[in-house]
Amino acid sequence: MAELKQKRLQRREGHVYETREDRVFNVIVVAILAFSILIVAYPLIYVVSASFSSTEAVMAGRVWLLPVDLSLKAYETVFKYDEIMTGYKNALIYTVTGTAVSLVITTLCAFCLSRKDFFGRKVVGFMVLFTMIFNAGLVPNYLLVNNTLKWSNTIWALIIPNCMNAWYVILMRSYFENSIPGELFEASDIDGCSVYRQLTSIALPLSGPIIAVIALYSAVGIWNSYYDALVYIRKKELYPLQLVLRNILILNSMDMSVTADLRDMASRQGMSHLLKYAVIVVSSLPLLIMYPFVQKYFVKGIMVGSVKG
């Protein structure tokens, strides 16, 4: 054992020698990770490749990894489908508006809870935490939104009830408490700075990473949500994209009359499958575009509160 420890601690040019056991362990770890990545990535690659392939290739099962008989007919048909484009527009409006409202309310609540001199801090904090454990349920929420507030078939039914997430509040409060020195607020108090000025001039400029993380989480949640729209929205012109996508993938409600000019190249069933792949890619594209711009903040946001002091 002493010899084994000595070999592990031997250094040459700043590197530690690896024993045979270490190399075997590293190979096993890399193999497991590679297999996990393959399981996760292959369905995504297949959907993208199938959406760019011809109907005959998809129906014949010739698409495995790369597109076969490259074709853009599915995307041309998707962008001609009025319900998809309307849903796309609605989803963008709901996502942008909902994310903005969520950031404002979450930031205000988290900043108040992070201040030790805030009266009723523990009570309000308990109320926020309580919502993570208990929920009123579908029927009370529906009666409130539909009968009391009269928000059915409006944008507010999709934004206001979910505008504040308790987990986001706790995450941002931890950032304010642990990542921003309290001495800054003490110095601003001495200078006569108001609480609102402390928020806008001190807290927000130093909170870029956590704001980016919360914005991405909120945007992804709103963009992928369809259940609230399914419950509260009855007008098709107000459907978000995910509800339109659900109807296409689960209920097969796409009007195939828009593909009448394509029937000479494939059957209606084949084109329907091809369009589903294209719709999935189109619906995921905004989030894939947005993610690289905020990816660098993920580690900072996830590590918030993990080390105190």
Side-chain angles (χ1 to χ4, degrees), residues 37-101:
I37 292 174
L38 180 62
I39 292 177
V40 174
Y42 179 74
L44 303 177
I45 297 174
Y46 175 80
V47 168
V48 174
S49 299
S51 66
F52 283 101
S53 301
S54 65
T55 308
E56 294 85 352
V58 174
M59 293 299 295
R62 292 190 287 124
V63 179
W64 287 91
L65 185 62
L66 299 177
V68 177
D69 299 334
L70 189 65
S71 174
L72 298 177
K73 293 295 183 181
Y75 290 96
E76 293 177 1
T77 305
V78 164
F79 288 108
K80 291 179 182 178
Y81 192 60
D82 293 336
E83 287 192 15
I84 292 179
M85 300 313 299
T86 302
Y88 217 106
K89 181 190 69 176
N90 292 337
L92 288 174
I93 294 174
Y94 299 156
T95 300
V96 173
T97 306
T99 301
V101 173

Side-chain angles (χ1 to χ4, degrees), residues 14 32 42 50 52 56-57 65 99 110 127 139 143 164 181 210 215 229 237:
I32 293 175
Y42 179 74
F52 283 101
E56 294 85 352
L65 185 62
T99 301
M127 294 174 63
V139 175
L143 294 176
M164 191 180 76
I210 192 63
E237 58 269 21

Side-chain angles (χ1 to χ4, degrees), residues 7 16 21 54 85 164 186 207 210 223 252 269 283 288:
K7 288 183 178 180
V16 179
E21 292 81 2
S54 65
M85 300 313 299
M164 191 180 76
E186 294 176 2
S207 304
I210 192 63
W223 182 267
N252 292 318
Q269 183 180 4
S283 64
L288 295 177

